């Protein structure tokens, strides 16, 4: 049985036209031939999964797209989503030597996408043996990038792997949380399907949220990988927050990506100024909001979003309100929301409200986007696994926790970084488990 899909929505496609359209074959060839194929390639060093960038680009230049894709997927099984969702400006492309010569960096992300898209279009499976060749059984909790990378590596080396996911679809934030103009849900699911065809077992709507459920896993599997991500978005903790019309950034992104939200109207206020807040603000614009404000308690120079994301939001028409914070939400006439705010002043590290600075924004929607909370309640189930500040403590090199049968990686360990970091974590943990496991059967 294939992994679940969602129906194609042409309206969504046109509203969320791609930020970076694919390269045409001739353009890809020309771009690949610009690469200098550096010996100690800094682009490869800058990639957390150490994709052989000159190696895959050289194969594109010689017309070997299949070989190029296999080179990428060998290092990073989610090379397709990373090609679209990675902040390449600060990773591989940011490290490209072309910058030293005042030339545009090689478009590594688009070339990577070119090769991977061709591979998916071919319908080919990865050339890995699908039979179980090791006495090693692993359960991965969560079907996000860390677990997917862990499972793919284990399967490709003959282990038996099951992924248990509490939601209806796999892919984690790739499926539910990355802006559609960067990575489409269908593209995330297509990538998961490739992993399923390697022989990874997927179980959906399978929440591991009790000691009994963990006991059952421990008796069935040799190792357990925790790729559970972070918790829900943090609440604003202000009166009126549960009013209709308040929807946090991740809920908003997931709702439109899965076909549950098609349009928004009027004025939308996003509270926060991180990358997810910007994705939500841009989404509100593309879904039809006339005016979108981003409200941030600090100043422009303190914004946590990447500078290119900030610039993109400005181009989408998002307006920024600096040094202002929400204090309450009230219901106004005609079902509108009244968002009461105050100006904030900063003294050293301390923020305090400025007296008599209250003002009210009348809006249709308020979107809290002030970061995800740690998964404290869930991770407490993982007995003997140390949790510090709501994040699982795991060895950086192996992903092994204080409990020798438990490994962990991705956002639940690093607190929320890029997809490519989660992939690197998952793969490292898989290799560590394989090292600990017995040798292959004869
Ligand atoms: Fe090619 Fe730039 Fe990487 Fe050198 S640093 S191998 S030019 S992509």
């Amino acid at each position: 049985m294939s992994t679940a899909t969602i129906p194609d929505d042409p309206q969504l496609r046109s509203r969320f036209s791609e930020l970076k359209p694919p390269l045409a074959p001739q353009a890809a060839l020309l771009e690949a031939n610009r690469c200098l194929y550096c010996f100690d390639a800094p682009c490869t060093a800058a990639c957390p999964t150490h994709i052989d960038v000159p190696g895959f680009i050289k194969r594109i230049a010689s017309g070997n797209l299949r070989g190029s894709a296999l080179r990428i997927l060998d290092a990073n099984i989610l090379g397709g989503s990373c090609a679209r969702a990675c902040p390449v400006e600060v990773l591989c492309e940011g490290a490209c030597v072309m910058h030293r010569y005042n030339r545009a960096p090689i478009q590594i992300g688009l070339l990577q996408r070119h090769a991977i898209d061709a591979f998916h279009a071919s319908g080919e499976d990865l050339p890995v043996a699908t039979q179980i060749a090791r006495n090693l059984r692993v359960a991965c909790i969560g079907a996000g990038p860390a677990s997917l990378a862990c499972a793919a590596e284990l399967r490709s080396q003959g282990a038996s792997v099951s992924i248990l996911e509490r939601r209806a679809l796999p892919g984690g934030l790739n499926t539910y949380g990355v802006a559609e103009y960067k990575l489409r849900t269908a593209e995330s699911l297509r990538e998961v399907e490739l992993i399923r065809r390697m022989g990874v077992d997927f179980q959906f709507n399978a929440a591991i949220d009790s000691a009994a459920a963990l006991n059952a896993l421990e008796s069935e599997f040799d190792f357990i990988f925790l790729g559970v991500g972070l918790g829900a978005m943090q609440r604003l903790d202000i009166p009126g927050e549960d009013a209709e019309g308040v929807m946090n950034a991740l809920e908003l992104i997931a709702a439109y990506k899965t076909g549950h939200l098609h349009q928004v109207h009027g004025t939308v206020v996003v509270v926060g100024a991180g990358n997810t807040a910007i994705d939500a603000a841009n989404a509100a614009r593309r879904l039809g909001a006339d005016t979108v404000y981003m409200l941030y308690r600090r100043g422009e120079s303190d914004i946590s979003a990447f500078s290119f994301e900030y610039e993109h939001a400005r181009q989408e028409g998002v307006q920024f309100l600096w040094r202002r914070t929400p204090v309450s939400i009230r219901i106004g006439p005609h079902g509108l929301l009244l968002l009461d705010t105050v100006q904030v002043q900063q003294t050293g590290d301390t923020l305090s409200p400025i007296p008599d600075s209250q003002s009210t924004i009348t809006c249709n929607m308020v979107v809290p986007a002030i970061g995800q909370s740690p998964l404290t309640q869930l991770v407490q189930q993982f007995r003997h696994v140390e949790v510090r500040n709501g994040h699982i403590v795991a060895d950086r090199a192996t992903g092994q926790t204080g409990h020798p049968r438990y490994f962990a990686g991705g956002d639940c360990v690093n607190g929320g970084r890029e997809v490519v970091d989660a992939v690197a974590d998952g793969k490292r943990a898989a290799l560590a488990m394989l090292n600990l496991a017995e040798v292959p059967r004869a």
Side-chain angles (χ1 to χ4, degrees):
M1 192 180 73
S2 63
T3 48
T5 56
I6 60 164
D8 186 43
D9 181 346
Q11 197 183 32
L12 188 72
R13 270 182 179 269
S14 73
R15 279 199 166 144
F16 287 82
S17 57
E18 292 184 291
L19 218 50
K20 294 181 183 173
L23 292 172
Q26 194 60 26
L29 213 52
L30 283 172
E31 186 66 2
N33 276 296
R34 260 194 345 114
C35 178
L36 303 176
Y37 311 122
C38 306
F39 178 65
D40 280 327
C43 47
T44 293
C47 172
T49 57
H50 302 306
I51 291 175
D52 174 11
V53 176
F56 91 73
I57 292 181
K58 201 162 207 164
R59 284 164 175 77
I60 294 176
S62 65
N64 180 8
L65 285 185
R66 178 180 182 273
S68 176
L70 293 178
R71 195 83 179 168
I72 296 162
L73 294 169
D74 183 50
N76 180 341
I77 193 70
L78 301 191
S81 53
C82 287
R84 290 165 162 86
C86 260
V88 289
E89 295 86 345
V90 295
L91 294 174
C92 55
E93 292 181 18
C96 178
V97 295
M98 289 296 189
H99 290 287
R100 288 188 216 158
Y101 308 119
N102 286 325
R103 294 173 61 193
I106 303 299
Q107 297 180 76
I108 300 167
L110 285 175
L111 287 173
Q112 185 169 313
R113 170 182 175 169
H114 182 68
I116 297 288
D117 281 359
F119 185 80
H120 282 297
S122 75
E124 198 184 327
D125 285 336
L126 283 169
V128 295
T130 51
Q131 74 269 23
I132 304 299
R134 288 178 186 263
N135 280 322
L136 174 61
R137 291 172 304 168
V138 179
C140 297
I141 303 181
S147 284
L148 291 170
C150 180
E153 186 64 31
L154 287 163
R155 263 314 288 124
S156 69
Q157 298 206 36
S160 163
V161 193
S162 290
I163 291 183
L164 301 105
E165 166 60 42
R166 67 184 171 88
R167 299 175 95 161
L169 294 172
L173 286 179
N174 274 2
T175 296
Y176 288 102
V178 177
E180 192 77 0
Y181 49 71
K182 293 180 193 163
L183 173 64
R184 298 193 190 287
T185 297
E187 291 158 351
S188 167
L189 297 177
R190 177 183 71 174
E191 201 164 49
V192 178
E193 177 59 15
L194 187 69
I195 295 169
R196 188 200 64 78
R197 295 204 306 265
M198 292 170 71
V200 172
D201 167 53
F202 282 85
Q203 297 172 31
F204 299 108
N205 303 305
I208 305 299
D209 51 9
S210 67
L214 265 189
N215 281 341
L217 284 188
E218 285 178 9
S219 60
E220 193 181 339
F221 295 94
D222 300 298
F223 296 115
I224 295 170
F225 179 79
L226 309 173
V228 293
L230 292 173
M233 293 220 87
Q234 289 178 37
R235 290 171 60 83
L236 297 173
D237 274 337
I238 59 174
E241 188 171 4
D242 294 317
E244 196 175 327
V246 180
M247 177 187 258
N248 75 48
L250 282 180
E251 288 170 347
L252 184 147
I253 294 168
Y256 85 75
K257 279 177 74 78
T258 54
H260 294 98
L261 178 69
H262 300 282
Q263 204 157 28
V264 298
H265 302 280
T267 299
V268 174
V269 183
V270 177
V271 181
N275 294 314
T276 303
I278 282 182
D279 282 351
N282 292 343
R285 283 288 292 154
R286 292 188 179 216
L287 288 167
D290 299 319
T291 305
V292 177
Y293 294 117
M294 289 189 72
L295 197 73
Y296 187 46
R297 63 198 171 124
R298 296 178 186 271
E300 186 177 11
S301 57
D302 303 309
I303 189 168
S304 61
F306 292 122
S307 56
F308 56 86
E309 296 282 15
Y310 173 42
E311 194 48 45
H312 175 216
R314 286 160 55 98
Q315 285 167 12
E316 296 267 346
V318 174
Q319 299 174 49
F320 289 79
L321 302 174
W322 307 114
R323 302 193 187 287
R324 204 189 282 204
T325 192
V327 290
S328 68
I329 299 169
R330 293 174 289 128
I331 307 293
H334 314 297
L336 292 171
L337 298 174
L338 302 174
L339 178 68
D340 297 318
T341 71
V342 289
Q343 285 294 134
V344 172
Q345 63 187 353
Q346 187 166 357
T347 314
D349 277 345
T350 309
L351 298 175
S352 55
I354 298 174
D356 302 322
S357 66
Q358 187 149 337
S359 62
T360 299
I361 304 170
T362 303
C363 57
N364 300 68
M365 192 180 230
V366 175
V367 182
I370 55 170
Q372 283 178 264
S373 51
L375 266 176
T376 310
Q377 230 181 349
L378 174 61
V379 294
Q380 277 169 356
Q381 299 293 334
F382 306 130
R383 293 153 297 169
H384 314 303
V385 173
E386 188 185 350
V387 176
R388 203 177 295 152
N389 299 325
H391 302 140
I392 295 171
V393 178
D395 184 86
R396 272 181 66 84
T398 64
Q400 193 170 32
T401 70
H403 188 303
R405 290 178 62 196
Y406 281 74
F407 290 72
D411 288 356
C412 63
V413 173
N414 63 36
R417 295 180 67 176
E418 303 301 331
V419 173
V420 69
D421 295 298
V423 172
D425 280 0
K427 188 169 178 178
R428 266 196 299 266
L431 294 172
M433 289 181 221
L434 288 160
N435 268 340
L436 289 172
E438 58 188 15
V439 290
R441 291 170 184 159

